[in-house]
Amino acid sequence: MAADSEPESEVFEITDFTTASEWERFISKIEEVLNDWKLIGISSGKPLEKGVYTTGAWEEKSDEISFADFKFSVTHHYLVQEPSDRDGKEEPAEDALPLPMQDLLCMNNDFPPRAHCLVRWYGLREFVVIAPAANNDAVLSESKCNLLLSSVSIALGNTGCQVPLFVQIHQKWRRMYVGECQGPGVRTDFEMVHLRKVPNQYTHLSGLLDIFKSKIGCPLTPLPPVSMAIRLTYVLQDWQQYFWPQQPPDIDALVGGEVGGLEFGKLPFGACEDPISELHLATTWPHLTEGIIVDNDVYSDLDPIQAPQWSVRIRKADNPQCLLGDFLNEFFKLCRRKESTDEILGRSAFEEDGKEVADITHALSKLTEPAPVPIHKLSVTNMVHSAKKKIRKHRGVDESPLNNEVLNTILLFLFPDAAEKLADGVESGTSPSTGNNPPENEDYNLFSQFKSAPSDSLTYKLALCLCMINFYHGGVKGVAHLWQEFVLEMRYRWENNYLIPGLANGPPDLRCCLLHQKLQMLNCCIERKKARDEGKRGSVSDRSPGGSSGDAGKGADHSGDNSKETDKEKEVGKSWESWSDSEEEFFECLSDTEDLKGNGQENGKKGGAKEGSKEPVNLKPEGRLHPHGKLTLLHPGEPLYIPITQEPAPMTEDLLEEQSEVLAKLGTSAEGAHLRARMQSACLLSDMESFKAANPGCCLEDFVRWYSPRDYIEEEVVDEKGNVVIKGELSARMKIPSNMWVEAWETAKPVPARRQKRLFDDTREAEKVLHYLAVQKPADLARHLLSCIIHAAVLKVKEEEVLEDISSVKKIIKQIISHSSKVLRFPNPEDKKLEEIIAQIMSVEAIIARARSLKAKFGVEKCENEEEKEDLQRFVNCLLEQPEVSVLGAGRGPAGSVIHKLFVNAQRLTESSDEVSAMPPLDEELRRSGSSDERRLNTGAVSDFPPPTGREVILRTTVPRPAPYSKPLPQRMYSVLTKEDFRLAGAFSADTTFF
């Protein structure tokens, strides 16, 4: 024994009871959090106003604590109140109950439509929840629940916090909470029951009263009266078909090509399905006392028609299918496609027959071969058309993405001038009114914010057509097909001098999208080419390329002045021809720098020779537009003539960017700066040459007086004889040695505009534009036109909103315009931002569709009484914007009677379809039977309302607990019964001093 006891005597263990356990640390952490959030001490505040839980702002704070290695999140939920109320300078009465206990009895905020579940169940304005941090973690065992509850109780006792503290137990989806609230000498326990199956005795009021009373266990007899608030919720799901006003599009007709021209100019709008899935009617009895009403398993006085309060909420369909949204999404998907037009339409047709390949590849060589036939018959257009016919022959007409009827309809919509026969190159109606007098309104000018295109332009119409085709007529293949036809039409118009309709006159509008600018550039080229070709035919003897008709008229003076000229003047036609068709000068695509260098040297050599040999010829004025009227030449004293000049070259934004890059690359050296100045002064040099030709014997001062009057300074001086005379001289910047103006003037030769090298080579620019259009993939095209589609969608939404007049929608539309203008102004916007814009437009469409659906269901338009109509309209607007809307007059008001009809109709439909067909119309029946009792008798066993989907009951009383001499304290129990579950949430207070 001694041997055995020796080792025991050597073991010496000390248990240190001063070391904190994990549980104590956990309690300490809870206390720290409560201290940090300043939830210690007496909570004060004014009584809650009616509806403040819905209209007020709720906020929350979160922190994280752990019990050993198990993490919990602590969240403080509270209704934001005025600081003066929260500080509570006035001292509360000594025996006043804590604020949460007062809230338990407050009846102003029963059944809030949108709030935390604990707010709905207990009516609290402030509480703290401790829950497992991870979603999949749960406190399941009873011992752990009790441990947490004990921790909460100790923390509340230590800190003196009067805010209720809850612990979430079981799985999160069950929303099970237990908690506690402590005050001076009082404590409230929050308990909960959650069942899937409901015991029969608890499905009615009398059974719930029995539970409540037994739980209170009040020793007093008789028991103080129990106040009750009851809400029954009825759900309407079976809408009748005629209540849905949206007519879905006839897709078969659209696919079949039976589409009018107007159809392509409009975007569709509205939901394809009812955007309102359910209507929830809540009938409420807010203040009932026990004994007033009977509700047991045999009989119930709770008739919804008799309920003093009705409120309605709607359940919106999740992501209803809307036409405009679908159009936008499908078009946006095009932006992500990678295929080229050739890949989509198939190029294998070219490779099937060697002869055909030869025909196509030798198209350009055939153009250059001498041939007895007129050259236009072997144009590139004709070669492409023949190639297209061969593609169709191989592909087959049936395989063509767009059938001819649809294609022709679209082309006539895009090019209305094609319907009229064009004779002698003269078009009617091709100059759009938008070019001259654009309507100055906010909606029209929206294109400049979105960088899209005017709403009456060809580009805008093209975008709408492509959107329609993408959705209804073959998707990306249809888009590729139409684009191919569009590009061929552009080339045809260029070659045959037909202006493109639907584009504003003048240079490209940099406020528009790049594709619109390119089409405007092509129109400029066609206009210049057309004017030049007319000049060749002799219809215009002398005018600047691209000059307006007014210029041509004024140029008649010049032809009169020069009528004496013989051989030289007869060469005008030849000059125009050489000016436009000289291969050496105009079709060699030199770079800008080489071009200018060559031009300078050529002018130097050729100009010198001409000056020597043809001086007398140069002295004759050429290229005059009209006399200035006021100015005369300084030295000869002859009238100063304004010359016919070349217009500056129009530029699209990509060309401007390219030009700025070239200028920037020249660097900062003297040579680079000089070359940059030369490049930028090409237009100035051209105008100087025209001026010299129109005004022989002129000097730089004459030119400056006309071209830049500010640079010619005139002042009054007294001459030798004492007379006041006006003396003029060039400005200081013009006197700088070797400045650009002096250098250009010395270089300039007297050459009229018609014989100068073109500043704007329309042939080259047109080919560049046509090439640019031809290589665009459907995805590139969609990117270019997406701004137009968003623009069109916004206009459509605005147009539809005007009919409904919904204030919330107006605000969202303003936000969409603001957001879109920021995103679309820059090239290549991010996909995510574009998706946000489309989502905003879809949300507006859904709201408007809901408004129309509700208007139809509530018969707003059919209502004859103006006052009732306004009430219904207001009610519908509130339903869209608020989570829950009270019905004025409950079941007897205008909205209430409509809702009643809807429910009665749904009940009759569910009874039997055969019976429905035999029944008289509903309106007649409701007119015949006035009261609900009469209706019940008339309709037999069929009730006006279905069984309630949800039953909510709040029971309250104030009784002493646990002993008869304890302080009377608030007791509350909330019950909710639905088809799927049953929940009891009780708050039972007890006196901790006198028990």
Side-chain angles (χ1 to χ4, degrees):
M1 287 296 291
D4 291 341
S5 63
E6 276 180 25
E8 285 182 15
S9 60
E10 290 173 8
V11 174
F12 181 72
E13 289 184 0
I14 298 174
T15 304
D16 185 3
F17 290 100
T18 60
T19 306
S21 66
E22 291 289 353
W23 183 44
E24 289 170 313
R25 288 196 194 102
F26 179 64
I27 295 168
S28 173
K29 285 171 186 171
I30 295 174
E31 292 174 15
E32 278 178 30
V33 170
L34 295 177
N35 270 300
D36 289 345
W37 289 343
K38 296 179 180 166
L39 301 180
I40 309 305
I42 297 169
S43 54
S44 60
K46 62 181 180 182
L48 293 166
E49 294 174 8
K50 192 169 183 66
V52 71
Y53 282 178
T54 307
T55 56
W58 286 86
E59 287 186 6
E60 58 182 64
K61 289 187 252 182
S62 288
D63 206 342
E64 202 167 88
I65 59 174
S66 57
F67 191 134
D69 56 350
F70 194 94
K71 290 187 176 178
F72 289 92
S73 67
V74 187
T75 310
H76 177 213
H77 300 264
Y78 58 95
L79 178 70
V80 178
Q81 293 173 287
E82 293 176 20
S84 59
D85 295 333
R86 288 182 66 86
D87 294 344
K89 289 177 183 177
E90 292 180 12
E91 287 294 322
E94 195 175 325
D95 59 344
L97 290 172
L99 208 58
M101 292 191 189
Q102 295 175 37
D103 290 345
L104 292 176
L105 294 179
C106 179
M107 292 186 175
N108 286 337
N109 290 284
D110 292 344
F111 316 115
R114 189 181 290 161
H116 191 282
C117 58
L118 290 173
V119 176
R120 191 175 183 85
W121 297 339
Y122 294 115
L124 301 169
R125 72 179 82 182
E126 185 175 27
F127 53 92
V128 176
V129 176
I130 299 175
N135 283 327
N136 51 357
D137 285 345
V139 179
L140 299 173
S141 71
E142 193 174 347
S143 60
K144 285 181 181 175
C145 293
N146 290 334
L147 184 66
L148 285 172
L149 208 50
S150 303
S151 308
V152 164
S153 188
I154 294 167
L156 289 173
N158 289 344
T159 56
C161 172
Q162 292 189 358
V163 176
L165 211 57
F166 289 90
V167 174
Q168 187 166 10
I169 58 176
H170 294 285
Q171 289 89 354
K172 291 207 171 182
W173 63 267
R174 292 189 67 180
R175 296 191 297 172
M176 285 281 286
Y177 298 89
V178 289
E180 191 171 306
C181 175
Q182 291 187 12
V186 291
R187 186 185 78 241
T188 301
D189 294 311
F190 297 95
E191 301 169 12
M192 206 167 285
V193 174
H194 183 225
L195 303 172
R196 278 190 181 279
K197 281 195 172 184
V198 191
N200 287 332
Q201 64 267 35
Y202 303 146
T203 58
H204 44 76
L205 189 58
S206 57
L208 294 171
L209 277 168
D210 291 342
I211 303 175
F212 186 53
K213 289 174 182 176
S214 65
K215 183 65 184 174
I216 292 170
C218 180
L220 294 181
T221 53
L223 189 70
V226 176
S227 80
M228 303 178 293
I230 302 170
R231 169 173 283 207
L232 303 183
T233 302
Y234 299 90
V235 176
L236 180 64
Q237 290 174 313
D238 301 323
W239 304 109
Q240 286 195 18
Q241 185 59 41
Y242 70 82
F243 284 134
W244 175 227
Q246 177 72 28
Q247 290 298 318
D250 187 356
I251 290 170
D252 293 334
L254 287 167
V255 172
E258 299 168 14
V259 180
L262 290 174
E263 189 73 27
F264 280 102
K266 296 177 181 177
L267 283 174
F269 189 88
C272 294
E273 55 185 317
D274 196 334
I276 308 291
S277 60
E278 292 176 355
L279 181 138
H280 292 205
L281 169 66
T283 58
T284 310
W285 290 261
H287 305 295
L288 291 174
T289 311
E290 181 187 0
I292 288 179
I293 206 159
V294 177
D295 181 47
N296 54 36
D297 53 355
V298 179
Y299 174 79
S300 175
D301 284 332
L302 300 173
D303 179 9
I305 291 290
Q306 305 299 328
Q309 289 180 9
W310 274 23
S311 54
V312 174
R313 66 166 67 199
I314 54 170
R315 186 175 172 188
K316 301 157 187 173
D318 297 329
N319 302 319
Q321 185 188 358
C322 293
L323 292 170
L324 182 62
D326 287 353
F327 264 59
L328 291 175
N329 277 322
E330 287 301 316
F331 194 77
F332 184 60
K333 284 178 188 173
L334 270 184
C335 299
R336 297 193 176 95
R337 300 295 291 255
K338 304 292 182 189
E339 309 95 326
S340 67
T341 306
D342 291 331
E343 287 167 351
I344 290 165
L345 297 177
R347 295 194 66 179
S348 56
F350 284 127
E351 294 160 14
E352 289 177 16
D353 191 339
K355 185 173 180 294
E356 289 168 10
V357 177
D359 285 347
I360 301 301
T361 54
H362 293 98
L364 291 173
S365 62
K366 281 190 179 183
L367 286 174
T368 56
E369 285 174 10
V373 291
I375 193 72
H376 67 268
K377 288 191 179 178
L378 283 174
S379 67
V380 175
T381 306
N382 284 317
M383 299 308 295
V384 176
H385 273 299
S386 64
K388 196 165 82 105
K389 282 175 190 170
K390 284 162 188 166
I391 295 171
R392 279 185 179 160
K393 190 167 69 181
H394 285 282
R395 190 165 58 197
V397 179
D398 296 335
E399 294 175 34
S400 185
L402 292 176
N403 65 45
N404 283 338
E405 192 178 348
V406 173
L407 185 60
N408 290 337
T409 305
I410 296 168
L411 291 175
L412 279 175
F413 170 67
L414 293 176
F415 306 104
D417 59 323
E420 303 163 12
K421 296 292 180 186
L422 306 177
D424 301 325
V426 177
E427 300 175 289
S428 60
T430 53
S431 297
S433 59
T434 59
N436 304 324
N437 298 306
E440 291 296 329
N441 63 36
E442 187 185 341
D443 285 353
Y444 183 83
N445 292 324
L446 206 58
F447 75 88
S448 60
Q449 294 181 50
F450 285 9
K451 201 167 175 62
S452 56
S455 53
D456 52 0
S457 66
L458 174 65
T459 316
Y460 186 92
K461 289 178 183 176
L462 175 67
L464 293 178
C465 289
L466 289 171
C467 195
M468 181 75 76
I469 282 167
N470 181 52
F471 197 78
Y472 286 131
H473 299 280
V476 69
K477 284 193 174 183
V479 169
H481 187 182
L482 177 59
W483 181 241
Q484 188 186 57
E485 293 287 343
F486 185 86
V487 174
L488 287 171
E489 177 71 22
M490 292 299 102
R491 180 166 284 284
Y492 175 80
R493 284 175 177 270
W494 157 245
E495 292 191 352
N496 293 280
N497 293 352
Y498 294 147
L499 287 172
I500 305 165
L503 298 175
N505 297 327
D509 188 344
L510 300 181
R511 298 174 299 168
C512 299
C513 65
L514 183 57
L515 190 68
H516 187 77
Q517 293 176 42
K518 292 286 183 186
L519 294 177
Q520 281 186 301
M521 174 67 96
L522 186 58
N523 230 14
C524 290
C525 297
I526 294 170
E527 204 174 328
R528 300 279 177 102
K529 180 169 175 273
K530 187 177 172 184
R532 194 170 66 251
D533 289 354
E534 284 172 2
K536 283 183 195 178
R537 288 198 296 270
S539 62
V540 177
S541 63
D542 192 3
R543 55 174 290 182
S544 67
S548 64
S549 55
D551 291 359
K554 290 169 186 171
D557 298 342
H558 160 65
S559 59
D561 292 345
N562 294 339
S563 58
K564 293 177 185 176
E565 290 191 24
T566 52
D567 299 340
K568 182 67 187 171
E569 193 59 36
K570 286 175 186 175
E571 290 176 5
V572 169
K574 192 180 271 188
S575 301
W576 275 98
E577 201 168 321
S578 64
W579 182 54
S580 62
D581 292 359
S582 160
E583 287 180 13
E584 181 184 349
E585 194 170 4
F586 296 108
F587 292 108
E588 286 183 13
C589 299
L590 302 171
S591 69
D592 291 340
T593 50
E594 288 172 359
D595 211 21
L596 280 165
K597 284 178 187 172
N599 191 25
Q601 289 166 2
E602 208 172 317
N603 281 348
K605 292 173 188 173
K606 292 181 182 176
K610 283 179 184 174
E611 236 171 281
S613 60
K614 298 188 180 180
E615 191 64 33
V617 178
N618 284 341
L619 288 174
K620 290 184 179 179
E622 291 184 89
R624 286 178 171 178
L625 186 59
H626 58 79
H628 186 281
K630 294 179 181 178
L631 298 179
T632 57
L633 299 180
L634 291 174
H635 299 306
E638 293 179 8
L640 185 147
Y641 279 84
I642 293 174
I644 295 171
T645 57
Q646 294 194 59
E647 288 187 9
M651 303 279 269
T652 56
E653 63 184 31
D654 58 335
L655 291 177
L656 285 169
E657 195 176 330
E658 196 179 301
Q659 189 185 59
S660 63
E661 282 177 12
V662 170
L663 294 174
K665 282 177 184 173
L666 292 173
T668 54
S669 64
E671 188 182 350
H674 184 71
L675 194 55
R676 191 184 298 112
R678 287 288 300 278
M679 286 175 68
Q680 290 172 321
S681 63
C683 187
L684 177 66
L685 181 66
S686 166
D687 291 343
M688 284 180 170
E689 291 188 337
S690 299
F691 188 83
K692 279 188 174 182
N695 299 283
C698 62
C699 60
L700 178 59
E701 283 82 352
D702 293 319
F703 178 75
V704 170
R705 285 161 69 214
W706 166 65
Y707 204 82
S708 180
R710 288 184 187 178
D711 284 306
Y712 190 77
I713 300 162
E714 292 181 332
E715 55 184 1
E716 293 181 354
V717 293
V718 181
D719 62 2
E720 296 168 355
K721 296 177 182 179
N723 299 326
V724 177
V725 293
I726 295 173
K727 185 181 178 184
E729 60 178 357
L730 293 174
S731 65
R733 78 178 183 121
M734 289 292 177
K735 292 178 180 176
I736 298 169
S738 302
N739 74 70
M740 186 178 73
W741 285 63
V742 173
E743 194 176 303
W745 182 258
E746 289 170 357
T747 311
K749 305 299 173 193
V751 182
R754 70 173 185 273
R755 289 207 300 273
Q756 292 174 10
K757 179 176 179 180
R758 283 182 283 174
L759 289 176
F760 176 55
D761 188 347
D762 51 75
T763 310
R764 185 176 66 177
E765 291 302 327
E767 288 299 335
K768 279 166 71 176
V769 170
L770 290 168
H771 175 72
Y772 178 85
L773 298 179
V775 298
Q776 293 297 300
K777 296 178 181 178
D780 302 329
L781 192 57
R783 287 270 174 199
H784 280 306
L785 295 175
L786 190 61
S787 58
C788 292
I789 294 296
I790 289 173
H791 177 190
V794 168
L795 288 183
K796 184 68 178 175
V797 163
K798 285 187 88 171
E799 176 193 324
E800 299 291 334
E801 184 277 327
V802 167
L803 303 174
E804 306 305 325
D805 191 28
I806 308 164
S807 57
S808 62
V809 170
K810 284 187 174 72
K811 289 176 189 171
I812 301 172
I813 290 173
K814 282 182 182 175
Q815 289 171 6
I816 292 171
I817 292 172
S818 171
H819 187 195
S820 302
S821 58
K822 288 173 188 171
V823 172
L824 298 173
R825 289 299 301 162
F826 300 100
N828 305 318
E830 295 174 25
D831 283 4
K832 190 179 177 183
K833 290 181 178 176
L834 293 170
E835 283 168 358
E836 285 171 7
I837 294 170
I838 292 170
Q840 282 180 306
I841 293 171
M842 288 170 69
S843 72
V844 170
E845 183 183 20
I847 292 169
I848 294 172
R850 287 186 200 114
R852 289 182 177 168
S853 175
L854 288 170
K855 267 188 177 180
K857 289 173 175 59
F858 283 90
V860 175
E861 299 302 328
K862 294 177 184 176
C863 188
E864 294 172 3
N865 186 323
E866 280 300 317
E867 196 175 331
E868 284 186 11
K869 188 174 182 178
E870 282 179 23
D871 288 345
L872 284 174
Q873 181 66 58
R874 205 176 301 116
F875 178 72
V876 166
N877 288 345
C878 290
L879 270 180
L880 290 168
E881 294 172 9
Q882 297 173 18
E884 192 169 279
V885 182
S886 294
V887 180
L888 294 174
R892 292 171 182 79
S897 61
V898 171
I899 294 164
H900 183 205
K901 284 181 193 176
L902 291 173
F903 274 101
V904 172
N905 232 335
Q907 282 297 97
R908 293 171 65 191
L909 283 171
T910 52
E911 184 64 20
S912 167
S913 58
D914 297 332
E915 289 179 23
V916 167
S917 60
M919 281 182 183
L922 173 67
D923 291 341
E924 289 179 24
E925 183 189 325
L926 285 171
R927 274 199 294 273
R928 283 202 309 269
S929 52
S931 71
S932 61
D933 296 331
E934 289 174 24
R935 277 194 289 275
R936 208 170 287 169
L937 289 169
N938 289 345
T939 54
V942 182
S943 168
D944 287 3
F945 290 86
T949 308
R951 293 172 67 96
E952 294 173 273
V953 178
I954 299 174
L955 304 176
R956 301 181 182 89
T957 191
T958 305
V959 296
R961 258 182 106 233
Y965 49 81
S966 299
K967 188 177 182 179
L969 295 171
Q971 320 292 330
R972 171 184 169 125
M973 188 178 82
Y974 170 90
S975 159
V976 58
L977 166 65
T978 64
K979 199 174 183 179
E980 295 168 358
D981 67 357
F982 169 69
R983 186 184 300 273
L984 289 175
F988 303 105
S989 308
D991 191 335
T992 55
T993 307
F994 300 102
F995 57 89

